[in-house]
Amino acid sequence: MLPEVPSPNDPHVRHMRRMFLAVITGSFLFLIPWIAYLSVSLPTRRTVSNWRYAWVGFDAALVVAIGITALCAWRRLQIFVPWAVATATLLCCDAWFDIVLDWNSNELTGSIVTAVAAELPLAALLLYAARKMFRLTVAVAWRRAGRQGPLPPLSRLSLIALTGHEEPPQAAQPEHQDGRRRGHDEPPRGPDDGRGDQRAP
């Protein structure tokens, strides 16, 4: 039994959507001046005492993410898609901070080589696989929803295009035995209509 898909016109769904849009849009607008403030207020140098724990903790989280992503891939689970995206994001962050924080040190060459040879290619592979699997899943849902024609690009596919809430095409009207279609206002024919008097004498 397929789960019930809430209608986009449901008041609760519309309320939650408005709240989500308000939060995500407000966060975007807030971060723009915040980044400008940080760019002029943060010091260029700072000594920290937990540097080792910060990087060990980050790399531990990265190892866990890679391990879960690999496990999901081996078991062919749909949750592989978000885990692959999250792991790719962590890899890109790792490459960024390695290069930026080692910019004026003797370790810059090693950071660039690691980023170019390992972190960024692995991130690109995970993003490619996630996009491929997501598109295949959407293609299956597209066909099962009765959609015709090629699947549109994911960047243009509506969130509710596969829920079945859009008005389906009008069903074909039944035909008479003589090949004509019955109109909506045409009464059904009786056994004697148009055939003369067939009553028994």
Side-chain angles (χ1 to χ4, degrees), residues 115-170:
V116 174
E119 294 165 339
L120 295 181
L122 180 56
L125 176 63
L126 289 173
L127 291 176
Y128 173 81
R131 181 185 181 279
K132 190 73 173 178
M133 296 306 301
F134 183 71
R135 186 170 179 82
L136 289 175
T137 302
V138 172
V140 172
W142 179 266
R143 295 305 179 192
R144 289 184 177 179
R147 303 284 178 170
Q148 301 297 326
L151 180 68
L154 295 179
S155 59
R156 299 181 182 179
L157 186 63
S158 172
L159 284 173
I160 62 173
L162 305 176
T163 60
H165 288 300
E166 296 184 4
E167 184 178 354
Q170 185 176 0

Short mmCIF file of all heavy atoms in Angstrom, two decimals, residues 115-170:
data_model
loop_
_atom_site.label_atom_id
_atom_site.label_comp_id
_atom_site.label_asym_id
_atom_site.label_seq_id
_atom_site.Cartn_x
_atom_site.Cartn_y
_atom_site.Cartn_z
N ALA A 115 44.56 17.57 -1.80
CA ALA A 115 43.26 18.04 -2.27
C ALA A 115 43.02 17.67 -3.72
O ALA A 115 41.94 17.18 -4.08
CB ALA A 115 43.16 19.56 -2.08
N VAL A 116 44.03 17.88 -4.56
CA VAL A 116 43.87 17.63 -6.00
C VAL A 116 43.84 16.14 -6.33
O VAL A 116 43.11 15.69 -7.21
CB VAL A 116 44.99 18.35 -6.78
CG1 VAL A 116 44.93 17.98 -8.26
CG2 VAL A 116 44.87 19.86 -6.61
N ALA A 117 44.64 15.36 -5.61
CA ALA A 117 44.77 13.94 -5.94
C ALA A 117 43.78 13.04 -5.21
O ALA A 117 43.52 11.93 -5.68
CB ALA A 117 46.19 13.47 -5.62
N ALA A 118 43.23 13.50 -4.08
CA ALA A 118 42.39 12.59 -3.29
C ALA A 118 41.04 13.20 -2.92
O ALA A 118 39.98 12.69 -3.31
CB ALA A 118 43.14 12.17 -2.02
N GLU A 119 41.05 14.30 -2.18
CA GLU A 119 39.81 14.81 -1.60
C GLU A 119 38.82 15.30 -2.65
O GLU A 119 37.65 14.88 -2.65
CB GLU A 119 40.14 15.93 -0.62
CG GLU A 119 40.90 15.44 0.60
CD GLU A 119 41.53 16.57 1.39
OE1 GLU A 119 41.73 17.67 0.82
OE2 GLU A 119 41.84 16.35 2.58
N LEU A 120 39.26 16.17 -3.54
CA LEU A 120 38.34 16.71 -4.54
C LEU A 120 37.89 15.67 -5.57
O LEU A 120 36.70 15.65 -5.93
CB LEU A 120 38.98 17.92 -5.23
CG LEU A 120 39.24 19.13 -4.32
CD1 LEU A 120 39.85 20.28 -5.10
CD2 LEU A 120 37.97 19.57 -3.61
N PRO A 121 38.76 14.78 -6.07
CA PRO A 121 38.26 13.73 -6.98
C PRO A 121 37.25 12.80 -6.31
O PRO A 121 36.26 12.41 -6.93
CB PRO A 121 39.53 12.97 -7.39
CG PRO A 121 40.62 13.97 -7.24
CD PRO A 121 40.23 14.79 -6.06
N LEU A 122 37.48 12.44 -5.04
CA LEU A 122 36.53 11.58 -4.34
C LEU A 122 35.21 12.30 -4.14
O LEU A 122 34.13 11.71 -4.28
CB LEU A 122 37.11 11.14 -3.00
CG LEU A 122 36.23 10.22 -2.14
CD1 LEU A 122 35.83 8.98 -2.93
CD2 LEU A 122 36.94 9.86 -0.85
N ALA A 123 35.28 13.59 -3.82
CA ALA A 123 34.05 14.37 -3.66
C ALA A 123 33.28 14.43 -4.98
O ALA A 123 32.05 14.28 -5.01
CB ALA A 123 34.38 15.78 -3.17
N ALA A 124 34.01 14.64 -6.09
CA ALA A 124 33.35 14.69 -7.40
C ALA A 124 32.71 13.34 -7.75
O ALA A 124 31.60 13.28 -8.29
CB ALA A 124 34.36 15.09 -8.47
N LEU A 125 33.40 12.24 -7.42
CA LEU A 125 32.85 10.91 -7.69
C LEU A 125 31.58 10.67 -6.89
O LEU A 125 30.58 10.15 -7.42
CB LEU A 125 33.90 9.85 -7.36
CG LEU A 125 33.44 8.39 -7.50
CD1 LEU A 125 33.07 8.08 -8.93
CD2 LEU A 125 34.53 7.45 -7.00
N LEU A 126 31.57 11.06 -5.62
CA LEU A 126 30.40 10.86 -4.79
C LEU A 126 29.22 11.71 -5.28
O LEU A 126 28.08 11.24 -5.31
CB LEU A 126 30.72 11.21 -3.34
CG LEU A 126 31.65 10.24 -2.60
CD1 LEU A 126 32.02 10.80 -1.24
CD2 LEU A 126 30.97 8.88 -2.46
N LEU A 127 29.48 12.94 -5.67
CA LEU A 127 28.41 13.79 -6.19
C LEU A 127 27.86 13.25 -7.51
O LEU A 127 26.65 13.29 -7.75
CB LEU A 127 28.91 15.22 -6.37
CG LEU A 127 29.22 15.99 -5.09
CD1 LEU A 127 29.81 17.36 -5.41
CD2 LEU A 127 27.97 16.13 -4.23
N TYR A 128 28.73 12.75 -8.36
CA TYR A 128 28.27 12.16 -9.62
C TYR A 128 27.40 10.94 -9.36
O TYR A 128 26.32 10.78 -9.97
CB TYR A 128 29.48 11.78 -10.48
CG TYR A 128 29.11 11.01 -11.72
CD1 TYR A 128 28.63 11.67 -12.86
CD2 TYR A 128 29.22 9.62 -11.76
CE1 TYR A 128 28.28 10.95 -14.00
CE2 TYR A 128 28.89 8.91 -12.89
CZ TYR A 128 28.41 9.57 -14.01
OH TYR A 128 28.06 8.87 -15.13
N ALA A 129 27.85 10.05 -8.45
CA ALA A 129 27.08 8.85 -8.16
C ALA A 129 25.74 9.20 -7.51
O ALA A 129 24.71 8.60 -7.83
CB ALA A 129 27.88 7.93 -7.25
N ALA A 130 25.74 10.19 -6.61
CA ALA A 130 24.49 10.59 -5.95
C ALA A 130 23.51 11.16 -6.96
O ALA A 130 22.31 10.85 -6.93
CB ALA A 130 24.79 11.61 -4.86
N ARG A 131 24.00 12.01 -7.86
CA ARG A 131 23.11 12.58 -8.88
C ARG A 131 22.57 11.49 -9.80
O ARG A 131 21.40 11.50 -10.17
CB ARG A 131 23.86 13.63 -9.69
CG ARG A 131 23.00 14.30 -10.76
CD ARG A 131 23.81 15.23 -11.63
NE ARG A 131 22.98 15.87 -12.63
CZ ARG A 131 22.61 15.33 -13.78
NH1 ARG A 131 23.02 14.09 -14.06
NH2 ARG A 131 21.85 15.97 -14.63
N LYS A 132 23.43 10.54 -10.18
CA LYS A 132 23.01 9.46 -11.06
C LYS A 132 21.93 8.62 -10.41
O LYS A 132 20.89 8.32 -11.04
CB LYS A 132 24.22 8.60 -11.40
CG LYS A 132 23.99 7.58 -12.51
CD LYS A 132 23.91 8.25 -13.85
CE LYS A 132 23.86 7.23 -14.98
NZ LYS A 132 23.73 7.85 -16.30
N MET A 133 22.13 8.22 -9.16
CA MET A 133 21.16 7.40 -8.47
C MET A 133 19.86 8.16 -8.22
O MET A 133 18.76 7.60 -8.34
CB MET A 133 21.73 6.90 -7.14
CG MET A 133 22.93 5.98 -7.30
SD MET A 133 22.58 4.57 -8.40
CE MET A 133 21.20 3.82 -7.56
N PHE A 134 19.95 9.44 -7.89
CA PHE A 134 18.75 10.23 -7.66
C PHE A 134 17.94 10.38 -8.94
O PHE A 134 16.71 10.27 -8.94
CB PHE A 134 19.13 11.60 -7.10
CG PHE A 134 17.94 12.45 -6.75
CD1 PHE A 134 17.14 12.14 -5.67
CD2 PHE A 134 17.63 13.57 -7.52
CE1 PHE A 134 16.04 12.92 -5.36
CE2 PHE A 134 16.53 14.36 -7.21
CZ PHE A 134 15.73 14.04 -6.12
N ARG A 135 18.62 10.61 -10.05
CA ARG A 135 17.93 10.76 -11.32
C ARG A 135 17.27 9.44 -11.74
O ARG A 135 16.15 9.45 -12.28
CB ARG A 135 18.89 11.24 -12.40
CG ARG A 135 18.20 11.55 -13.72
CD ARG A 135 19.10 12.26 -14.70
NE ARG A 135 18.41 12.51 -15.96
CZ ARG A 135 17.58 13.52 -16.19
NH1 ARG A 135 17.34 14.40 -15.22
NH2 ARG A 135 16.98 13.68 -17.35
N LEU A 136 17.93 8.31 -11.50
CA LEU A 136 17.32 7.03 -11.83
C LEU A 136 16.07 6.79 -10.98
O LEU A 136 15.05 6.29 -11.47
CB LEU A 136 18.32 5.90 -11.61
CG LEU A 136 19.47 5.81 -12.62
CD1 LEU A 136 20.46 4.73 -12.19
CD2 LEU A 136 18.94 5.53 -14.03
N THR A 137 16.13 7.15 -9.70
CA THR A 137 14.97 6.99 -8.83
C THR A 137 13.81 7.86 -9.29
O THR A 137 12.66 7.42 -9.33
CB THR A 137 15.36 7.35 -7.39
OG1 THR A 137 16.44 6.51 -6.96
CG2 THR A 137 14.18 7.15 -6.45
N VAL A 138 14.12 9.11 -9.65
CA VAL A 138 13.07 10.01 -10.13
C VAL A 138 12.50 9.51 -11.46
O VAL A 138 11.29 9.62 -11.71
CB VAL A 138 13.63 11.44 -10.27
CG1 VAL A 138 12.63 12.36 -10.95
CG2 VAL A 138 13.99 11.99 -8.91
N ALA A 139 13.34 8.94 -12.31
CA ALA A 139 12.85 8.42 -13.59
C ALA A 139 11.85 7.28 -13.38
O ALA A 139 10.83 7.20 -14.07
CB ALA A 139 14.02 7.95 -14.44
N VAL A 140 12.14 6.41 -12.40
CA VAL A 140 11.20 5.32 -12.11
C VAL A 140 9.88 5.89 -11.59
O VAL A 140 8.79 5.48 -12.01
CB VAL A 140 11.83 4.35 -11.10
CG1 VAL A 140 10.81 3.32 -10.63
CG2 VAL A 140 13.03 3.65 -11.71
N ALA A 141 9.97 6.85 -10.65
CA ALA A 141 8.75 7.47 -10.13
C ALA A 141 8.00 8.23 -11.21
O ALA A 141 6.76 8.26 -11.23
CB ALA A 141 9.11 8.42 -8.98
N TRP A 142 8.73 8.83 -12.14
CA TRP A 142 8.12 9.56 -13.25
C TRP A 142 7.26 8.63 -14.10
O TRP A 142 6.13 8.97 -14.47
CB TRP A 142 9.23 10.20 -14.07
CG TRP A 142 8.81 10.98 -15.28
CD1 TRP A 142 8.71 10.52 -16.57
CD2 TRP A 142 8.44 12.37 -15.33
NE1 TRP A 142 8.32 11.52 -17.40
CE2 TRP A 142 8.14 12.67 -16.68
CE3 TRP A 142 8.34 13.37 -14.38
CZ2 TRP A 142 7.74 13.94 -17.08
CZ3 TRP A 142 7.95 14.64 -14.78
CH2 TRP A 142 7.66 14.91 -16.11
N ARG A 143 7.77 7.45 -14.40
CA ARG A 143 7.02 6.49 -15.21
C ARG A 143 5.85 5.91 -14.44
O ARG A 143 4.77 5.72 -14.99
CB ARG A 143 7.95 5.37 -15.69
CG ARG A 143 9.05 5.84 -16.62
CD ARG A 143 8.50 6.58 -17.80
NE ARG A 143 9.57 7.05 -18.70
CZ ARG A 143 9.38 7.92 -19.69
NH1 ARG A 143 8.18 8.43 -19.89
NH2 ARG A 143 10.40 8.30 -20.45
N ARG A 144 6.06 5.61 -13.15
CA ARG A 144 4.98 5.03 -12.37
C ARG A 144 3.85 6.03 -12.13
O ARG A 144 2.72 5.62 -11.86
CB ARG A 144 5.53 4.53 -11.03
CG ARG A 144 6.41 3.29 -11.16
CD ARG A 144 6.85 2.77 -9.81
NE ARG A 144 7.62 1.54 -9.95
CZ ARG A 144 8.15 0.88 -8.94
NH1 ARG A 144 7.99 1.33 -7.70
NH2 ARG A 144 8.84 -0.23 -9.15
N ALA A 145 4.17 7.33 -12.18
CA ALA A 145 3.13 8.34 -12.05
C ALA A 145 2.36 8.55 -13.33
O ALA A 145 1.45 9.38 -13.38
CB ALA A 145 3.76 9.67 -11.59
N GLY A 146 2.71 7.81 -14.37
CA GLY A 146 2.00 7.92 -15.64
C GLY A 146 2.43 9.07 -16.51
O GLY A 146 1.71 9.44 -17.44
N ARG A 147 3.59 9.63 -16.24
CA ARG A 147 4.07 10.75 -17.04
C ARG A 147 4.61 10.25 -18.37
O ARG A 147 5.22 9.19 -18.46
CB ARG A 147 5.17 11.50 -16.30
CG ARG A 147 4.74 12.01 -14.94
CD ARG A 147 3.86 13.21 -15.05
NE ARG A 147 3.40 13.67 -13.75
CZ ARG A 147 2.78 14.82 -13.55
NH1 ARG A 147 2.55 15.62 -14.56
NH2 ARG A 147 2.39 15.17 -12.35
N GLN A 148 4.37 11.03 -19.39
CA GLN A 148 4.85 10.71 -20.72
C GLN A 148 5.95 11.69 -21.11
O GLN A 148 6.08 12.77 -20.57
CB GLN A 148 3.70 10.76 -21.73
CG GLN A 148 2.56 9.82 -21.42
CD GLN A 148 2.98 8.37 -21.46
OE1 GLN A 148 3.84 7.97 -22.26
NE2 GLN A 148 2.36 7.55 -20.60
N GLY A 149 6.75 11.30 -22.07
CA GLY A 149 7.81 12.17 -22.55
C GLY A 149 9.07 12.03 -21.72
O GLY A 149 9.11 11.32 -20.71
N PRO A 150 10.12 12.71 -22.13
CA PRO A 150 11.41 12.60 -21.43
C PRO A 150 11.36 13.27 -20.06
O PRO A 150 10.59 14.21 -19.83
CB PRO A 150 12.38 13.32 -22.37
CG PRO A 150 11.52 14.30 -23.13
CD PRO A 150 10.19 13.62 -23.30
N LEU A 151 12.19 12.77 -19.17
CA LEU A 151 12.29 13.35 -17.83
C LEU A 151 12.98 14.71 -17.92
O LEU A 151 14.06 14.82 -18.49
CB LEU A 151 13.07 12.41 -16.92
CG LEU A 151 13.28 12.87 -15.48
CD1 LEU A 151 11.96 12.87 -14.73
CD2 LEU A 151 14.28 11.95 -14.78
N PRO A 152 12.39 15.78 -17.36
CA PRO A 152 13.04 17.09 -17.41
C PRO A 152 14.28 17.12 -16.53
O PRO A 152 14.46 16.26 -15.66
CB PRO A 152 11.95 18.04 -16.88
CG PRO A 152 11.08 17.18 -16.04
CD PRO A 152 11.09 15.83 -16.69
N PRO A 153 15.14 18.10 -16.71
CA PRO A 153 16.33 18.22 -15.84
C PRO A 153 15.90 18.37 -14.38
O PRO A 153 14.85 18.94 -14.07
CB PRO A 153 17.01 19.48 -16.36
CG PRO A 153 16.53 19.65 -17.76
CD PRO A 153 15.14 19.12 -17.78
N LEU A 154 16.72 17.84 -13.47
CA LEU A 154 16.39 17.90 -12.06
C LEU A 154 16.26 19.34 -11.57
O LEU A 154 15.49 19.61 -10.65
CB LEU A 154 17.46 17.16 -11.25
CG LEU A 154 17.56 15.65 -11.50
CD1 LEU A 154 18.69 15.07 -10.65
CD2 LEU A 154 16.25 14.94 -11.21
N SER A 155 17.00 20.25 -12.17
CA SER A 155 16.94 21.66 -11.74
C SER A 155 15.62 22.31 -12.10
O SER A 155 15.29 23.38 -11.57
CB SER A 155 18.09 22.44 -12.38
OG SER A 155 18.01 22.38 -13.80
N ARG A 156 14.83 21.68 -12.98
CA ARG A 156 13.53 22.23 -13.38
C ARG A 156 12.36 21.36 -12.96
O ARG A 156 11.22 21.68 -13.29
CB ARG A 156 13.51 22.42 -14.91
CG ARG A 156 14.57 23.36 -15.45
CD ARG A 156 14.46 23.51 -16.94
NE ARG A 156 15.50 24.38 -17.47
CZ ARG A 156 15.65 24.67 -18.77
NH1 ARG A 156 14.82 24.14 -19.66
NH2 ARG A 156 16.63 25.47 -19.16
N LEU A 157 12.62 20.29 -12.25
CA LEU A 157 11.56 19.37 -11.87
C LEU A 157 10.90 19.87 -10.59
O LEU A 157 11.56 20.09 -9.58
CB LEU A 157 12.14 17.97 -11.65
CG LEU A 157 11.14 16.85 -11.38
CD1 LEU A 157 10.22 16.65 -12.57
CD2 LEU A 157 11.87 15.56 -11.06
N SER A 158 9.58 20.03 -10.62
CA SER A 158 8.85 20.50 -9.47
C SER A 158 8.84 19.47 -8.36
O SER A 158 8.88 18.26 -8.61
CB SER A 158 7.41 20.86 -9.87
OG SER A 158 6.62 21.14 -8.73
N LEU A 159 8.74 19.93 -7.12
CA LEU A 159 8.70 19.01 -5.99
C LEU A 159 7.44 18.16 -5.98
O LEU A 159 7.44 17.05 -5.44
CB LEU A 159 8.78 19.81 -4.68
CG LEU A 159 10.14 20.36 -4.29
CD1 LEU A 159 10.01 21.26 -3.05
CD2 LEU A 159 11.13 19.26 -4.01
N ILE A 160 6.35 18.65 -6.58
CA ILE A 160 5.09 17.92 -6.55
C ILE A 160 4.77 17.29 -7.89
O ILE A 160 3.66 16.83 -8.12
CB ILE A 160 3.93 18.84 -6.13
CG1 ILE A 160 3.75 19.99 -7.15
CG2 ILE A 160 4.12 19.39 -4.74
CD1 ILE A 160 2.52 20.82 -6.89
N ALA A 161 5.74 17.23 -8.78
CA ALA A 161 5.46 16.69 -10.11
C ALA A 161 5.19 15.19 -10.08
O ALA A 161 4.55 14.67 -10.98
CB ALA A 161 6.64 16.98 -11.05
N LEU A 162 5.64 14.50 -9.04
CA LEU A 162 5.49 13.06 -8.98
C LEU A 162 4.50 12.61 -7.91
O LEU A 162 4.39 11.43 -7.63
CB LEU A 162 6.85 12.39 -8.70
CG LEU A 162 7.96 12.74 -9.68
CD1 LEU A 162 9.26 12.10 -9.24
CD2 LEU A 162 7.60 12.29 -11.08
N THR A 163 3.77 13.56 -7.30
CA THR A 163 2.88 13.18 -6.21
C THR A 163 1.50 12.78 -6.69
O THR A 163 0.72 12.23 -5.92
CB THR A 163 2.71 14.36 -5.23
OG1 THR A 163 2.15 15.49 -5.93
CG2 THR A 163 4.06 14.75 -4.64
N GLY A 164 1.17 13.09 -7.95
CA GLY A 164 -0.15 12.73 -8.46
C GLY A 164 -1.22 13.74 -8.14
O GLY A 164 -2.39 13.49 -8.37
N HIS A 165 -0.84 14.93 -7.59
CA HIS A 165 -1.84 15.93 -7.27
C HIS A 165 -2.24 16.77 -8.48
O HIS A 165 -3.24 17.47 -8.43
CB HIS A 165 -1.31 16.86 -6.16
CG HIS A 165 -1.25 16.19 -4.83
ND1 HIS A 165 -2.36 15.68 -4.21
CD2 HIS A 165 -0.20 15.94 -4.01
CE1 HIS A 165 -2.01 15.15 -3.05
NE2 HIS A 165 -0.70 15.29 -2.91
N GLU A 166 -1.46 16.74 -9.51
CA GLU A 166 -1.83 17.47 -10.71
C GLU A 166 -3.00 16.77 -11.37
O GLU A 166 -3.16 15.55 -11.29
CB GLU A 166 -0.66 17.57 -11.67
CG GLU A 166 0.50 18.36 -11.10
CD GLU A 166 1.61 18.52 -12.10
OE1 GLU A 166 1.44 18.09 -13.24
OE2 GLU A 166 2.65 19.08 -11.73
N GLU A 167 -3.85 17.55 -12.03
CA GLU A 167 -5.06 16.99 -12.62
C GLU A 167 -4.70 16.01 -13.73
O GLU A 167 -3.98 16.37 -14.67
CB GLU A 167 -5.93 18.11 -13.19
CG GLU A 167 -7.27 17.61 -13.73
CD GLU A 167 -8.14 18.74 -14.22
OE1 GLU A 167 -7.75 19.90 -14.04
OE2 GLU A 167 -9.20 18.45 -14.78
N PRO A 168 -5.16 14.77 -13.65
CA PRO A 168 -4.82 13.79 -14.68
C PRO A 168 -5.57 14.08 -15.96
O PRO A 168 -6.60 14.76 -15.96
CB PRO A 168 -5.29 12.46 -14.05
CG PRO A 168 -6.38 12.85 -13.12
CD PRO A 168 -6.03 14.21 -12.60
N PRO A 169 -5.06 13.59 -17.09
CA PRO A 169 -5.77 13.80 -18.34
C PRO A 169 -7.13 13.11 -18.31
O PRO A 169 -7.33 12.10 -17.65
CB PRO A 169 -4.84 13.14 -19.38
CG PRO A 169 -4.00 12.21 -18.60
CD PRO A 169 -3.84 12.82 -17.24
N GLN A 170 -8.09 13.70 -19.04
CA GLN A 170 -9.45 13.18 -19.05
C GLN A 170 -9.47 11.79 -19.67
O GLN A 170 -8.87 11.54 -20.71
CB GLN A 170 -10.36 14.12 -19.84
CG GLN A 170 -11.82 13.70 -19.80
CD GLN A 170 -12.70 14.71 -20.52
OE1 GLN A 170 -12.18 15.69 -21.04
NE2 GLN A 170 -13.99 14.47 -20.52
#
